[in-house]
Amino acid sequence: MAAALDLDVVTAAEQTRRGRYRQRVMVCQSISCLAAGAQATRTAIEQATDEEGLGHDVQVVPTGCMGLCSRGPLAQVVPRGGAPTLYGDVTAEAGRQLVASLPRRAPPPPAAVTDRVLDPDMPFFACQRRFVLANAGRIDPERIEDYVAEGGYRAMQTALQSMAPDDVIEAIAASGLRGRGGAGYPTAKKWRLLAAAGGEHKYVVANGDEGDPGAFMDRTVMEDDPHRVLEGIALAAYATGADRAFLYVRAEFARAVERLDAAIRAARRHRLLGRRVLGSDFSLDVSVRIGAGAFVCGEETALMASVEGGRGTPRLRPPYPTEQGLWGAPTVINNVETLANVPGIIGRGPEAFAAIGTSASNGTKVFALAGSLVNTGLIEVPMGITLRQIVEDVGGGIAGGRAFKAAQTGGPSGGCIPAELLDTPMDYERLQALGSIMGSGGLIVMDDSVTMPEVARYFMEFCRDESCGKCVPCRAGTVQLVGLLDRICTGAGTTRDLAQLESLGQTVRETSLCGLGQTAPNPLFSTLEHFRGEYLDLLVDGDTAGGEDG
């Protein structure tokens, strides 16, 4: 058995390695920047570095997401001992000019380079608090040494050397961490249930089945900081007495699967996973399970069926997974972002996490900010920040001179928030009171060119297509709801259709087997509540229906 990794030695060696370079050029290779041509940018920067003979002075580092995806490709120059400079819209040609302009070169940088500098004090960055995304844009996701040098695996070392499993659970309870997958259930409560459960084996499952349209939070964390996810899983397993863990990832996230597999192999090789982790009595076997990409597999019981090799369909609860989970053994299922918070909570102390956010919703939340905004991308903001701050400050306002119409939170299970509620704080309770949910973090902002019945139809079609078909209310109900929305959106609907739409939606909500069906009508009801007039305007006999926008 190989010796356990000495984190101090690795950190010192990595710092020495970095210190040899006068400049480090961090090039974002995350999904959004790659779509904007970041691979060509990286190649151009590497070639220019070689051609300029800067190989001994300049290190080019591929990194994860830097956040401001709408200005990608992004690159950041970090001088030794100096402040970093972030650049946006770094095309391949701009990358070559960037290398030619590095400080030891003369003459001064041309406007083609300086015009691309992004102000670190702009609201997009200044409003954020990085906890889960602390390493974003700072490390090479494929090097375990990079993660260790940023403090990685220290929290696990601390827990194994100086904390009993109950101490870890109490720290999570003191932090106030709640599940980031949507429902906001207190993480420590789940862990206590698993810790108290009997049985020869227990399981931890990281739910990486992120299927909401427009959402890429968990995908990015898994791709860009895989060891953080593994460390969170290991801490959860240590706290609960689990000896086996799975990462459930949908097949289309091929790079996440590849990087997680590589990270697991590296962690095993250095005894950060596997038998006798870091020389302790704690052992943990972790592996990746690939899902076929069904939205319903984000639901716990359907996910477990898929992990076991069966068809991903839900079952009635109770029994709950902590009582009877994978192969009948006690199991806890946490969202990827939830687990990615854990190393920071243990490493920095629960007080640091609890000091962020509101009294009931502590910490930060990662959102995939998309839609009709000037600035879009991956953001991490404190819980309790208002929707207006996200739209107007972080997002830079509505693009193209149009007006704000609504924001959709929680994906197909969430709801639409209108302009008059822009000052709503973003926390679990406030969003639920509006008929929406936090969800996993998809946040789509729409301008006044959008028609809200069309939005409801889009999400209902999604739920219809993703229904597993096990229960009649969801399987048949969503089909009928789409049909009624089709009639209304095409101008053929009547007041009777609208009444049936509301009645059937309520039936689907109350009688469906699992969360997918129960929440499928949410976008319908929230748009009816806040934009009812748009439905009435589309009805054949709408003039006789009356009603105003809510």
Side-chain angles (χ1 to χ4, degrees):
M1 183 180 295
L5 194 70
D6 188 319
L7 301 181
D8 291 333
V9 170
V10 173
T11 300
E14 186 61 22
Q15 296 298 348
T16 300
R17 177 175 178 269
R18 294 179 183 180
R20 287 201 295 266
Y21 297 97
R22 189 189 300 270
Q23 309 274 352
R24 303 181 75 220
V25 181
M26 324 298 281
V27 187
C28 181
Q29 296 291 284
S30 199
I31 179 171
S32 294
C33 276
L34 285 174
Q39 180 59 58
T41 299
R42 174 187 172 184
T43 300
I45 289 175
E46 289 174 338
Q47 288 177 345
T49 301
D50 290 339
E51 291 166 4
E52 294 278 346
L54 296 173
H56 295 292
D57 279 344
V58 176
Q59 181 189 27
V60 182
V61 182
T63 74
C65 183
M66 297 180 181
L68 188 52
C69 302
S70 54
R71 292 296 304 274
L74 297 166
Q76 183 167 244
V77 175
V78 185
R80 186 169 56 203
T85 302
L86 180 63
Y87 298 85
D89 307 307
V90 185
T91 61
E93 178 56 30
R96 283 187 281 271
Q97 293 174 337
L98 179 64
V99 172
S101 73
L102 292 177
R104 86 174 177 83
R105 311 290 295 178
V113 172
T114 56
D115 287 351
R116 288 178 164 80
V117 174
L118 299 175
D119 181 1
D121 296 324
M122 65 185 286
F124 180 87
F125 300 111
C127 292
Q128 296 195 47
R129 296 286 297 274
R130 296 297 183 98
F131 208 91
V132 170
L133 304 179
N135 290 333
R138 295 166 54 89
I139 65 171
D140 179 348
E142 297 185 353
R143 295 187 72 247
I144 191 172
E145 296 84 357
D146 266 24
Y147 181 66
V148 171
E150 297 296 331
Y153 288 111
R154 297 280 181 176
M156 189 170 77
Q157 183 182 56
T158 298
L160 294 178
Q161 293 180 350
S162 61
M163 299 175 74
D166 284 347
D167 296 337
V168 177
I169 296 180
E170 290 309 311
I172 297 302
S175 75
L177 176 65
R178 298 170 64 174
R180 295 316 198 232
Y185 191 82
T187 303
K189 282 189 177 180
K190 262 192 180 181
W191 288 14
R192 284 197 186 103
L193 291 171
L194 187 66
E200 183 179 358
H201 296 290
K202 300 179 189 177
Y203 296 94
V204 170
V205 177
N207 183 354
D209 190 69
E210 187 175 56
D212 294 8
F216 55 98
M217 303 78 59
D218 291 345
R219 176 182 185 173
T220 302
V221 173
M222 291 187 290
E223 288 182 354
D224 295 352
D225 205 358
H227 286 285
R228 176 180 292 272
V229 182
L230 293 180
E231 189 177 6
I233 291 172
L235 285 161
Y238 174 69
T240 57
D243 59 349
R244 189 82 194 271
F246 293 100
L247 274 148
Y248 186 77
V249 187
R250 53 178 49 218
E252 58 258 49
F253 296 171
R255 194 163 70 150
V257 171
E258 180 182 327
R259 286 188 170 168
L260 288 167
D261 274 334
I264 290 170
R265 290 195 299 272
R268 281 182 183 150
R269 191 162 55 247
H270 295 296
R271 292 185 60 191
L272 296 165
L273 292 176
R275 294 177 55 197
R276 297 181 59 79
V277 173
L278 285 172
S280 72
D281 293 331
F282 170 63
S283 299
L284 179 65
D285 184 20
V286 181
S287 56
V288 175
R289 281 285 191 274
I290 301 174
F295 182 65
V296 72
C297 286
E299 196 275 341
E300 289 187 344
T301 60
L303 182 154
M304 290 191 297
S306 181
V307 170
E308 291 173 346
R311 182 181 175 187
T313 53
R315 61 168 168 77
L316 284 172
R317 297 181 296 177
Y320 292 96
T322 50
E323 302 166 282
Q324 195 174 103
L326 288 173
W327 296 285
T331 301
V332 71
I333 301 169
N334 287 130
N335 164 268
V336 163
E337 184 184 338
T338 306
L339 292 165
N341 268 301
V342 173
I345 291 171
I346 300 301
R348 295 159 62 178
E351 302 82 6
F353 185 85
I356 307 170
T358 67
S359 59
S361 299
N362 293 356
T364 61
K365 183 72 193 81
V366 179
F367 290 102
L369 185 61
S372 307
L373 291 167
V374 174
N375 303 322
T376 57
L378 199 68
I379 64 171
E380 183 174 5
V381 292
M383 287 279 196
I385 188 173
T386 66
L387 180 58
R388 183 184 300 280
Q389 287 175 286
I390 292 178
V391 171
E392 296 181 358
D393 297 337
V394 180
I398 302 299
R402 301 199 71 97
F404 174 88
K405 178 71 171 287
Q408 169 80 8
T409 66
S413 302
C416 294
I417 302 173
E420 57 267 30
L421 295 174
L422 261 175
D423 291 311
T424 299
M426 300 288 281
D427 62 32
Y428 293 104
E429 285 71 24
R430 269 37 181 280
L431 291 178
Q432 192 171 11
L434 296 179
S436 187
I437 59 173
M438 182 77 73
S440 58
L443 179 51
I444 301 172
V445 176
M446 293 165 274
D447 64 30
D448 58 358
S449 67
V450 174
T451 304
M452 301 314 289
E454 294 279 3
V455 172
R457 180 169 65 170
Y458 168 80
F459 283 114
M460 192 57 69
E461 286 175 340
F462 179 87
C463 291
R464 176 200 61 189
D465 295 343
E466 292 292 334
S467 173
C468 74
K470 184 172 182 177
C471 75
V472 173
C474 179
R475 181 181 70 233
T478 53
V479 172
Q480 295 302 316
L481 288 170
V482 169
L484 289 165
L485 284 166
D486 274 341
R487 286 177 54 79
I488 292 172
C489 289
T490 56
T494 64
T495 53
R496 185 175 179 182
D497 290 325
L498 183 58
Q500 189 175 1
L501 186 71
E502 294 183 88
S503 175
L504 181 57
Q506 195 62 34
T507 300
V508 171
R509 171 182 278 179
E510 294 176 354
T511 60
S512 291
L513 173 61
C514 78
L516 188 151
Q518 292 163 7
T519 60
N522 281 357
L524 168 65
F525 283 122
S526 72
T527 52
L528 275 168
E529 179 180 357
H530 301 299
F531 303 96
R532 193 176 190 86
E534 293 192 18
Y535 285 86
L536 298 177
D537 288 344
L538 291 169
L539 300 180
V540 172
D541 52 353
D543 290 343
T544 64
E548 298 176 350
D549 282 353

